[in-house]
Amino acid sequence: MSDIDWQAPWLADWRAVGEPIAQQVATGCPQHQALNAARRASVRFVPQDDLPEGQAYEDFIFARGQVPTREGLHDFFNALCWMHFPLTKKRLNQLQAHEIARAGVGQVRGKVRDAATVFDENALLVQPSDALWEALTGHRWADAFMGLRSEWAHTRVWAFGHAALEKAVQPYKSITVHMWRVPLGVPSQDIDAWLAQDLTETKLSQKPFSPLPLLGLPGWWPDNENPSFYADPTVFRPKRRPSPIEKPHADQDYEALS
């Protein structure tokens, strides 16, 4: 917990709640106890050992309203997400649990569970103009981050994915998140309720994600003030069109898609 830089821009919305909890954990308080003491979540956090052997994690949460929690950054940020986006996290859990009830756990999660997992672990919510969204999803990185740079001052961004936040504790250039577009008319205070409604089985099964190198966001990393930062095709990849016979596997790593 001592490694977390609470001044990082991607933690701006998480700092007020998360930093005091992290300080308690750093002094030796068990993570689930520190999280519960904050009284900010609609679920309770329990030790990982409370998850019965053979029961699916998401099914356990759905049945009991309890979240098995390991020590460490990954589950810490997951818990903070439950505090900041309670309706959305509940919706994601419902989607996972319903799919498990319908099809079982299995070796392959299937489209809906796979997409819900990608969102849960790696989503970044972005509320851009049409021009900025088209540049981002078209991988026109110079346009998105330099030509339209002034737009980022009034483009709202919300961090969501807890795995992405864990990676960002030790930032590196190729951290890639998956954008989910928020319409311009959605107020910040309504983002959780809107998102919970927007996450439908149909929409998720279409995998409407677009990759974004996290440290490319203007103001989020000092090196990106230099246009040459974006001239790295190993990170800021051009748009790749799949061939007609190319069909990504349901469990394919989305961070590898460009």
Side-chain angles (χ1 to χ4, degrees), residues 92 111-125 133 136-139 160 176-181 195 198-200 203-212 239 250 252-255 257-258:
L92 288 167
K111 289 183 179 180
V112 173
R113 287 193 65 212
D114 180 58
T117 300
V118 170
F119 187 97
D120 197 17
E121 299 274 350
N122 217 41
L124 184 80
L125 314 177
W133 182 251
L136 289 167
T137 55
H139 295 193
F160 187 96
T176 300
V177 293
H178 291 81
M179 294 185 295
W180 189 274
R181 189 178 188 182
L195 188 56
D198 197 49
L199 286 167
T200 64
K203 188 167 184 178
L204 281 167
S205 66
Q206 296 169 351
K207 301 175 184 173
F209 303 109
S210 189
L212 174 72
K239 189 78 170 181
Q252 185 170 353
D253 181 0
Y254 274 74
E255 191 160 335
L257 297 179
S258 57

Side-chain angles (χ1 to χ4, degrees), residues 47-117:
Q48 181 70 19
D49 289 346
D50 282 14
L51 177 64
E53 185 176 353
Q55 183 170 11
Y57 169 83
E58 296 286 356
D59 186 55
F60 179 87
I61 297 172
F62 184 76
R64 300 197 186 186
Q66 299 175 345
V67 180
T69 303
R70 301 162 297 185
E71 300 295 323
L73 292 171
H74 190 87
D75 285 9
F76 173 72
F77 284 121
N78 180 53
L80 291 189
C81 197
W82 274 101
M83 297 177 185
H84 285 82
F85 296 93
L87 299 177
T88 302
K89 289 289 287 185
K90 183 177 180 180
R91 174 59 176 160
L92 288 167
N93 178 245
Q94 289 172 340
L95 289 166
Q96 294 273 13
H98 291 168
E99 285 296 302
I100 290 170
R102 182 187 65 82
V105 176
Q107 293 185 341
V108 177
R109 289 189 298 261
K111 289 183 179 180
V112 173
R113 287 193 65 212
D114 180 58
T117 300

